[in-house]
Amino acid sequence: MFSSSGTRYSVFQGYVHIGTAIDVSAKVPSNLLCASSCSETENCINAHYNKATLTCSLFDSLAFHPRDVENDITVVNSIAITENSRAKLFGT
């Protein structure tokens, strides 16, 4: 997936970040806009989007756990994640 600024993100359905957000926005209509917000925020390397609450949370670190497959979407800046770290973080 690409944000509006052209930043490439990897998408992980059903995961949430376990750290403290550097920014949180309400009423965000899509995970694409959430990713775009991350690409425009200094130090943001991943974002969590909840479809049920339309909440976008931005993070500057990588730490996740499984959650609601229907509503939780995590997008990670592709530069911040390698195939090796992808397997460790998400088991994929």
Side-chain angles (χ1 to χ4, degrees):
M1 173 176 94
F2 289 90
S3 70
S4 61
S5 68
T7 304
R8 184 167 192 261
Y9 284 87
S10 297
V11 178
F12 300 95
Q13 187 80 28
Y15 284 87
V16 296
H17 199 282
I18 57 175
T20 302
I22 58 174
D23 190 30
V24 178
S25 299
K27 299 181 182 177
V28 178
S30 73
N31 65 327
L32 180 59
L33 290 175
C34 185
S36 292
S37 179
C38 183
S39 67
E40 297 167 1
T41 302
E42 187 176 355
N43 298 323
C44 183
I45 57 172
N46 72 89
H48 169 255
Y49 180 71
N50 185 286
K51 292 191 300 188
T53 62
L54 302 179
T55 304
C56 175
S57 303
L58 308 181
F59 297 92
D60 60 359
S61 62
L62 299 172
F64 310 94
H65 65 212
R67 201 54 161 239
D68 182 351
V69 173
E70 290 296 316
N71 292 309
D72 292 310
I73 302 168
T74 293
V75 293
V76 180
N77 185 321
S78 294
I79 292 172
I81 192 166
T82 64
E83 290 301 319
N84 187 37
S85 63
R86 176 190 312 259
K88 287 179 183 176
L89 291 167
F90 300 101
T92 60

